[in-house]
Amino acid sequence: MQYFSTNNKTIKADFRQATVQGQPSDKGLYFPERIPQLPEDFIKNINNYSKEEIAFEVIKPYVGNTIDDASLKKIVDETVFFDFPLVKISDSISALELFHGPTLAFKDVGARFMSRCLSHFAKDEKRRITVLVATSGDTGGAVADAFYGVENVDVVILYPSGKVSDVQELQLTTLGKNITALEVEGSFDDCQRMVKDAFADKRLNEQLYLTSANSINVARWLPQQFYYFYAYQQWQNEAAPVISVPSGNFGNICAGLMAYSSGLPVQHFVAACNANDVIPQYLASGNYQTKQAVYTLSNAMDVANPSNFVRILEIFNHQLPSLKNAISSYSISDEETVAAIKEVRSNYDYLLDPHGAVGYVALRRYLNEHAEQKGYLLETAHPVKFNTEEFTGYKVEVPSSIQHLLKKEKKSTRMKADGNELKSFLLGEKSLV
């Protein structure tokens, strides 16, 4: 399998190069030359496969011959060792719970898969690899956990100061060792811009071996397809589901669209956005206009210029009518988010996190217009990571997997939203307080 840059299709790489490099030199994103088509028998008999077997079959064509089958199976086994239950909320709406991994967020799948791929590839490298990643919330913790202690790899995480939850911040700032957290005085979009500028800097890349663990990296983005297949394996209805995906940087829903394009039955996708409504506005008007990011309760989705949307355009050959046939998108306010958390807790005894609540409202809005259909939303993070008690009066029990974090002290380095300052820090030319 070869990958081309979304900015220049003559720039190509195999899976290994795309993973280690992270992003093409022209600031595009790597995209596969073809979308593999899964055998009809695989979909028809999906109940006969284990989670590990499904993941291997889905990802193998993308990896090609860059990783031998035995090593890839081991990587997959270590990636999907936890559960992905599809839980019924109401007669028409279910929730796919993606928070049963080590950091209680859907990012655990992509982060663990990528860390193990990179560890496999790093064995042949003569210098240390530096993983540079921006986070709006859950990516940082998942990447920190997945890469902690990985030999020959250093991780530098940028996050917007004051714009991630307390638990999220502890997850990415308390590990130490090969993990460094940079607290940026700005938004997630500032963090993402700084990371992209670093990858495009020739001098920096001559001195450091940089790669990214954001969903711009194919090894972080593509394995997110797995849980869409796990959901279908549990889907009890004859008609294919409508899938509502809380969407910020659009990597997750893009992975779902790849699964759909490979043969997974899906009725329709709903891109559930918060007040950062660039994509809902684009689908409504046909005009793509970026804005400043707005801070919301669903902070991991506070993205005003989603990187992965260009990949979605590639899937649909940049044809807006085809895209609109497959995706609807809604912007959900904080007020609607809070109301949904309260309502679902009261009426169905189910607790949504703010991101799942955005997905719930958007899905319900779509199903109100298509009463004969049913669907599920992606519950992307455990409610304990957010202050849902403020809305519901219900105290969430802290899972044992993160109780130890509450006793730890955060260790981060503050930084202005300045790309040059980041480069100086990475090169060891400037120390920061």
Side-chain angles (χ1 to χ4, degrees):
M1 173 71 75
Q2 289 287 302
Y3 296 80
F4 61 81
S5 169
T6 53
N7 283 346
N8 183 348
K9 292 189 176 182
T10 65
I11 297 177
K12 296 183 180 180
D14 63 10
F15 180 79
R16 181 187 185 282
Q17 183 182 346
T19 298
V20 175
Q21 187 179 357
Q23 188 174 20
S25 57
D26 65 352
K27 288 191 177 184
L29 298 184
Y30 281 119
F31 191 83
E33 282 192 320
R34 61 180 179 82
I35 299 177
Q37 297 302 298
L38 291 164
E40 289 185 13
D41 285 349
F42 173 75
I43 301 297
K44 183 179 180 181
N45 300 308
I46 198 165
N47 288 330
N48 297 331
Y49 290 83
S50 68
K51 294 197 307 291
E52 294 79 7
E53 289 169 336
I54 290 173
F56 180 83
E57 292 297 325
V58 170
I59 205 67
K60 173 60 179 173
Y62 293 99
V63 172
N65 60 5
T66 62
I67 302 176
D68 62 277
D69 284 359
S71 297
L72 183 59
K73 287 178 180 177
K74 184 174 185 293
I75 289 170
V76 163
D77 289 351
E78 293 178 1
T79 297
V80 296
F81 67 92
F82 46 92
D83 294 329
F84 304 82
L86 186 66
V87 179
K88 183 177 179 180
I89 295 179
S90 69
D91 288 341
S92 60
I93 296 178
S94 299
L96 179 64
E97 294 184 346
L98 303 178
F99 52 70
H100 294 278
T103 71
L104 311 182
F106 79 98
K107 305 289 180 71
D108 282 324
V109 170
R112 291 181 69 81
F113 183 82
M114 184 196 162
S115 69
R116 282 144 180 79
C117 288
L118 200 56
S119 178
H120 179 84
F121 295 141
K123 296 174 184 176
D124 300 325
E125 297 296 336
K126 297 180 180 178
R127 53 178 175 162
R128 293 184 70 83
I129 295 173
T130 298
V131 176
L132 189 60
V133 59
T135 183
S136 57
D138 288 323
T139 293
V143 168
D145 179 84
F147 280 90
Y148 180 67
V150 172
E151 293 185 8
N152 211 29
V153 177
D154 294 315
V155 178
V156 179
I157 303 169
L158 285 74
Y159 73 98
S161 180
K163 297 181 176 65
V164 301
S165 76
D166 292 343
V167 171
Q168 288 173 327
E169 188 170 39
L170 287 172
Q171 286 182 322
L172 61 95
T173 61
T174 56
L175 287 175
K177 205 171 181 179
N178 62 325
I179 311 296
T180 299
L182 300 180
E183 187 176 352
V184 176
E185 298 169 0
S187 67
F188 168 74
D189 289 311
D190 291 323
C191 297
Q192 187 163 252
R193 170 182 51 78
M194 293 164 69
V195 168
K196 287 185 175 182
D197 287 346
F199 283 121
D201 188 278
K202 183 178 179 181
R203 174 171 169 258
L204 189 64
N205 283 270
E206 286 174 348
Q207 297 188 48
L208 295 176
Y209 203 148
L210 289 179
T211 190
S212 173
N214 282 99
S215 54
I216 61 175
N217 192 301
V218 295
R220 242 280 274 122
W221 162 54
L222 289 170
Q224 293 178 120
Q225 296 178 78
F226 299 163
Y227 36 75
Y228 292 94
F229 289 92
Y230 301 155
Y232 185 71
Q233 193 178 43
Q234 301 169 70
W235 187 248
Q236 298 298 316
N237 299 280
E238 291 185 10
V242 176
I243 305 176
S244 178
V245 186
S247 299
N249 213 22
F250 275 71
N252 199 354
I253 192 170
C254 186
L257 287 162
M258 293 290 284
Y260 166 67
S261 299
S262 294
L264 181 71
V266 178
Q267 189 79 235
H268 195 73
F269 283 93
V270 176
C273 300
N274 55 28
N276 295 281
D277 62 353
V278 169
I279 302 307
Q281 290 295 328
Y282 169 68
L283 292 179
S285 68
N287 295 318
Y288 191 96
Q289 294 184 331
T290 59
K291 306 175 182 179
Q292 285 291 322
V294 178
Y295 179 61
T296 74
L297 294 173
S298 48
N299 65 285
M301 296 153 56
D302 293 346
V303 183
N305 187 18
S307 292
N308 283 289
F309 195 70
V310 67
R311 283 175 166 150
I312 292 177
L313 294 176
E314 285 290 344
I315 293 174
F316 294 96
N317 296 312
H318 294 262
Q319 299 298 312
L320 183 57
S322 298
L323 175 60
K324 292 173 70 171
N325 283 337
I327 304 176
S328 298
S329 188
Y330 303 102
S331 173
I332 309 302
S333 69
D334 274 355
E335 291 75 18
E336 291 174 295
T337 302
V338 171
I341 294 173
K342 291 180 177 178
E343 173 200 327
V344 173
R345 171 63 186 167
S346 175
N347 294 348
Y348 304 109
D349 196 28
Y350 188 89
L351 185 60
L352 295 163
D353 90 289
H355 307 79
V358 171
Y360 176 86
V361 177
L363 178 58
R364 186 176 59 186
R365 190 174 296 180
Y366 180 84
L367 294 179
N368 283 343
E369 301 169 1
H370 303 82
E372 75 286 357
Q373 298 179 16
K374 297 183 179 182
Y376 66 83
L377 61 100
L378 270 58
E379 250 296 26
T380 55
H382 195 291
V384 78
K385 303 181 83 169
F386 310 95
N387 192 20
T388 54
E389 183 180 356
E390 177 183 342
F391 316 133
T392 64
Y394 174 74
K395 188 173 180 61
V396 184
E397 183 178 349
V398 178
S400 58
S401 61
I402 66 166
Q403 284 180 358
H404 68 286
L405 286 176
L406 305 181
K407 302 176 183 178
K408 291 191 174 184
E409 181 181 348
K410 88 168 189 180
K411 296 180 180 179
S412 65
T413 299
R414 291 186 71 91
M415 175 177 290
K416 295 179 181 177
D418 185 333
N420 290 326
E421 195 163 302
L422 172 62
K423 294 170 191 176
S424 296
F425 176 81
L426 292 172
L427 292 170
E429 299 173 346
K430 185 176 182 180
S431 61
L432 302 170
V433 178

